[in-house]
C-alpha cells in the first residue's frame, strides 16, 4: 500500500469529493443499501484496476458493503486523484496508485493487488486480466469484469486465441454503460479537459473528432453545442455517413489536418494522427486523446522532429517544429478527460459502476456455472439500472397495457 498518500488534509479533501459524487449516484446507493442487508460478496477479495476517482471510491465502498475486501490500483498512470486515494486509504481500503507514476511503478502496483490473491478482478482496459493470463497460470479466479471498449476488444482477441480460463463480464456492452458513459460522459469530460488545459474559446474553432463511435459522437455533439465547426474522420463508412447526416463535415485525416484547430482522437487504434498529419497542421493547433491508451497520437514523431518542448500550462505541452510551427499536446496524449479534468461526471459513472457491482454479484452467485467466455450482463439489469436513473432525473416511465403486451406478442398485427 502507498502509505505516503495517507495524508490527513489530502484525505479530508478527497472524502468531501467522494461525498459529493455519492449524492449523485442513486443507482449505486440503492445497490449498496441492498448489499448491506444481503452481503452477497461475503468473504471475497476483489481487486479493481480502475481510474482512481471520487466515483470509483463509491464503487469500492459499495463492494465493501456487500462483504468484499476491495482493493484498488490505477488503470492509467495519469488518472489517479491523489486526494481520493488518500481518503480511501484513511477509510481502510487498500490503494496502490499515485498520479504521474512511471510505467514500472504502474505495473508493480498491478502485481501487488494480484499478490493479494483476489477471486474477482475488475479492469478498465484489461491490464489485470492480461497479467493473470500471461504471468500467473496458477492464479484461480471466479471471474473478471471489464469496463471499456478497448478492454473488451482485447478480451475478445484472448477468447479467439482460447486463453480465457474464467468468465469475464463485458460491462461496456451493457446499454446503460456505453450509451451514457461513453457518449455523454466522454462528450462532456473530454471537452472539459481541453477547456481546463487551454482555456480556449471553442466557438468558431474547427474541432476535428477522429473516430465516430459512442465516444466520438458524444464529443462531436458537445463541440457542436459550444459553437465549433465539427469535422469527423472515420474509417467505417456507416459511421462516417451517420456523422455526415448529423450535419458534420466528414473528411480524411489529411484533409482535416489542414483545417483543424483542435483535434481529439477516440478510436482505440494506433497512431491515427502521425507525422504525415502533423506536417500539414497549422501553427498553434491543440491535440488531445480520449481513447484508452496513449497510442493514438504519435508523440514519438514529435520528439524526433521538433526542436523543443516546454510545459506551457497545466497539462499542456508545446512542441516547436523545425519550421517554427507550434503543436500543443494535452495530458501527454493520455486520456484527456482524466488527465486534464476529473473524468466523467458521477451521474453517468453511477450507471457504469452499478453494472460493475451487479456483475461482481453475478460472478459471486453463479461464477462457477458460467462459461469461460466474454459474457454480457442480462438485459433485465439494463432495464433495472435505467429505471432507477430515470426516476432520479425526474422522468416518468410509461407502462404497456395488458392488451398492448398481447398485441406485440401476436401475429395479428393491424387488426
Ligand atoms: P467505438 O468502437 O464505438 O468507436 C471507435 C471508432 O473509431 C469506430 O467507429 C472506428 O471505426 C473508428 N476508427 C478506428 N480506427 C480509426 C482511424 N484510424 N481513423 C478514424 N476512425 C477510426 O469505441 P468507443 O466506445 O467510442 O471508444 C473509443 C475509445 O475510447 C476506446 O479506446 C475506449 O476504450 C475509450 N473510452 C474512453 C473513455 C474515457 O473516459 N476517455 C470512456 C469510454 C471509452
Ligand atoms: N472513466 C471515465 N471517467 C471516470 C470516472 N469519473 N471514474 C472512473 N472511471 C472513469
Amino acid at each position: 500500500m502507498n502509505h505516503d498518500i495517507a495524508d490527513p488534509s489530502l484525505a479530508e479533501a478527497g472524502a468531501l469529493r467522494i461525498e459529493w459524487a455519492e449524492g449523485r449516484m442513486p443507482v449505486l446507493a440503492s445497490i449498496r443499501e441492498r448489499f448491506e442487508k444481503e452481503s452477497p460478496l461475503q468473504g471475497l477479495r476483489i481487486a479493481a484496476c480502475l481510474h482512481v476517482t471520487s466515483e470509483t471510491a463509491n464503487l469500492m465502498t459499495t463492494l465493501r458493503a456487500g462483504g468484499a475486501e476491495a482493493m484498488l490500483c490505477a488503470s492509467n498512470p495519469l488518472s489517479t486523484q491523489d486526494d481520493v486515494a488518500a481518503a480511501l486509504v484513511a477509510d481502510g481500503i487498500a490503494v496502490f496508485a499515485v498520479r504521474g507514476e512511471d510505467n514500472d511503478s504502474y505495473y508493480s502496483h498491478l502485481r501487488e493487488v494480484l499478490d493479494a490473491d483476489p477471486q474477482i478482478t475488475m479492469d478498465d482496459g484489461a491490464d489485470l486480466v492480461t497479467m493473470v493470463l500471461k504471468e500467473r497460470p496458477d492464479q484461480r479466479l471466479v471471474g473478471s469484469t471489464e469496463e471499456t471498449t478497448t478492454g473488451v476488444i482485447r478480451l475478445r482477441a484472448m477468447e479467439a486465441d482460447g486463453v480465457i480460463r474464467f468468465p469475464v463480464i463485458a460491462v461496456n456492452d451493457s446499454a446503460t454503460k456505453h450509451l451514457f458513459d461513453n457518449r455523454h460522459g466522454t462528450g462532456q469530460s473530454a471537452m472539459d479537459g481541453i477547456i481546463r488545459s487551454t482555456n480556449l474559446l471553442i466557438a468558431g474553432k474547427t474541432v476535428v473528432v477522429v473516430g465516430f463511435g459512442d465516444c466520438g459522437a458524444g464529443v462531436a455533439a458537445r463541440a457542436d453545442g459550444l459553437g465549433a465547426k465539427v469535422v469527423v474522420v472515420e474509417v467505417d463508412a456507416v459511421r462516417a455517413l451517420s456523422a455526415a447526416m448529423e450535419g458534420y463535415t466528414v473528411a480524411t485525416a489529411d484533409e482535416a489536418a489542414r483545417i483543424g484547430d483542435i483535434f481529439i482522437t477516440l478510436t482505440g487504434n494506433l497512431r491515427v494522427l502521425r507525422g504525415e498529419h502533423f506536417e500539414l497542421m497549422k501553427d498553434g493547433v491543440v491535440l488531445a486523446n480520449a481513447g484508452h491508451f496513449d497510442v493514438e497520437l504519435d508523440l514519438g514523431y514529435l520528439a524526433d522532429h521538433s526542436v523543443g518542448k516546454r510545459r506551457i500550462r497545466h497539462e499542456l505541452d508545446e512542441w516547436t517544429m523545425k519550421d517554427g510551427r507550434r503543436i500543443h499536446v494535452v495530458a501527454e496524449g493520455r486520456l484527456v478527460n482524466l488527465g486534464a479534468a476529473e473524468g466523467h461526471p458521477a451521474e453517468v459513472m453511477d450507471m457504469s459502476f452499478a453494472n460493475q457491482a451487479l456483475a461482481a454479484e453475478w460472478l459471486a452467485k453463479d461464477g462457477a456455472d458460467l462459461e469461460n467466455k466474454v459474457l454480457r450482463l442480462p438485459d433485465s439489469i439494463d432495464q433495472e439500472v435505467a429505471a432507477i436513473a430515470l426516476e432520479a432525473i425526474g422522468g416518468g416511465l410509461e407502462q404497456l397495457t395488458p392488451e398492448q403486451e398481447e398485441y406485440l406478442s401476436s401475429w395479428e398485427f393491424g387488426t
Side-chain angles (χ1 to χ4, degrees):
M1 194 184 314
N2 289 302
H3 293 291
D4 52 332
I5 55 175
D7 164 344
S9 56
L10 203 60
E12 260 170 50
L16 289 173
R17 291 182 54 247
I18 293 169
E19 184 187 320
W20 173 262
E22 183 185 358
R24 280 135 198 93
M25 302 180 85
V27 190
L28 204 55
S30 71
I31 293 170
R32 187 183 301 134
E33 207 179 309
R34 182 172 62 75
F35 275 15
E36 271 160 6
K37 290 188 201 121
E38 299 175 5
S39 304
L41 307 175
Q42 195 59 48
L44 289 174
R45 282 180 302 281
I46 301 184
C49 178
L50 300 170
H51 302 297
V52 181
T53 66
S54 52
E55 293 76 25
T56 303
N58 279 291
L59 172 61
M60 293 295 107
T61 53
T62 302
L63 298 174
R64 181 175 60 187
E69 183 193 338
M71 61 208 103
L72 179 63
C73 62
S75 58
N76 186 294
L78 204 57
S79 62
T80 298
Q81 297 171 1
D82 286 333
D83 58 343
V84 167
L88 281 173
V89 169
D91 192 21
I93 291 183
V95 182
F96 303 82
V98 179
R99 182 180 164 92
E101 61 191 331
D102 63 20
N103 265 0
D104 286 348
S105 151
Y106 174 80
Y107 286 108
S108 75
H109 284 147
L110 266 65
R111 288 196 177 91
E112 279 185 87
V113 295
L114 290 181
D115 287 347
D117 203 18
Q119 291 98 338
I120 293 178
T121 60
M122 264 178 195
D123 263 310
D124 185 325
D127 281 352
L128 267 188
V129 99
T130 303
M131 193 173 264
V132 170
L133 293 174
K134 272 191 168 166
E135 297 179 7
R136 298 181 181 228
D138 298 328
Q139 192 140 21
R140 289 276 148 253
L141 293 184
V142 171
S144 186
T145 71
E146 173 52 52
E147 171 79 1
T148 198
T149 318
T150 285
V152 174
I153 291 171
R154 279 178 97 181
L155 286 161
R156 293 210 196 280
M158 295 177 205
E159 185 179 74
D161 284 348
V163 299
I164 301 255
R165 52 172 202 261
F166 38 79
V168 187
I169 317 294
V171 168
N172 186 71
D173 289 0
S174 291
T176 47
K177 197 283 180 180
H178 66 95
L179 292 181
F180 302 93
D181 170 314
N182 300 26
R183 190 180 169 104
H184 295 283
T186 312
Q188 177 167 313
S189 62
M191 291 312 297
D192 183 12
I194 289 168
I195 292 169
R196 286 194 204 196
S197 59
T198 65
N199 200 27
L200 282 175
L201 181 71
I202 306 299
K205 297 276 189 314
T206 297
V207 171
V208 177
V209 176
V210 188
F212 196 72
D214 287 316
C215 293
V219 169
R222 294 298 161 249
D224 184 43
L226 287 164
K229 289 169 264 181
V230 176
V231 177
V232 170
V233 177
E234 243 304 337
V235 292
D236 178 302
V238 174
R239 288 188 164 176
L241 181 64
S242 153
M245 291 210 185
E246 289 296 333
Y248 307 131
T249 301
V250 175
T252 65
D254 276 8
E255 288 163 349
R258 292 176 203 276
I259 55 175
D261 299 305
I262 298 171
F263 296 78
I264 310 159
T265 55
L266 311 100
T267 68
N269 208 345
L270 186 69
R271 284 197 275 279
V272 293
L273 291 180
R274 48 190 183 269
E276 66 204 77
H277 308 122
F278 300 153
E279 292 305 339
L280 298 172
M281 289 177 182
K282 300 189 285 194
D283 176 35
V285 294
V286 171
L287 312 183
N289 167 55
H292 185 77
F293 285 115
D294 60 339
V295 296
E296 305 210 12
L297 301 171
D298 186 359
L299 298 186
Y301 181 92
L302 290 182
D304 292 344
H305 294 82
S306 62
V307 293
K309 173 187 158 190
R310 57 179 180 150
R311 173 122 316 184
I312 192 162
R313 286 174 56 94
H314 177 66
E315 289 303 339
L316 189 67
D317 290 331
E318 180 182 81
W319 296 82
T320 303
M321 307 304 281
K322 289 177 184 151
D323 60 6
R325 282 174 311 120
R326 288 155 304 170
I327 292 183
H328 302 106
V329 178
V330 186
E332 302 161 32
R334 295 193 187 275
L335 293 160
V336 60
N337 57 327
L338 287 140
E342 292 171 63
H344 299 352
E347 292 89 333
V348 286
M349 292 318 297
D350 185 26
M351 288 189 276
S352 305
F353 286 162
N355 280 296
Q356 286 284 5
L358 295 174
E361 183 181 29
W362 191 27
L363 286 172
K365 192 160 159 272
D366 296 328
D369 301 325
L370 296 175
E371 279 187 273
N372 295 340
K373 287 174 62 171
V374 180
L375 303 165
R376 283 196 57 207
L377 282 167
D379 290 342
S380 56
I381 288 188
D382 268 332
Q383 288 298 322
E384 189 184 319
V385 168
I388 302 172
L390 180 70
E391 194 185 335
I393 62 171
L397 188 62
E398 178 62 336
Q399 303 291 325
L400 289 173
T401 65
E403 183 193 34
Q404 287 166 342
E405 272 190 57
E406 196 190 327
Y407 178 76
L408 289 176
S409 60
S410 83
W411 291 25
E412 306 300 328
F413 270 46
T415 53

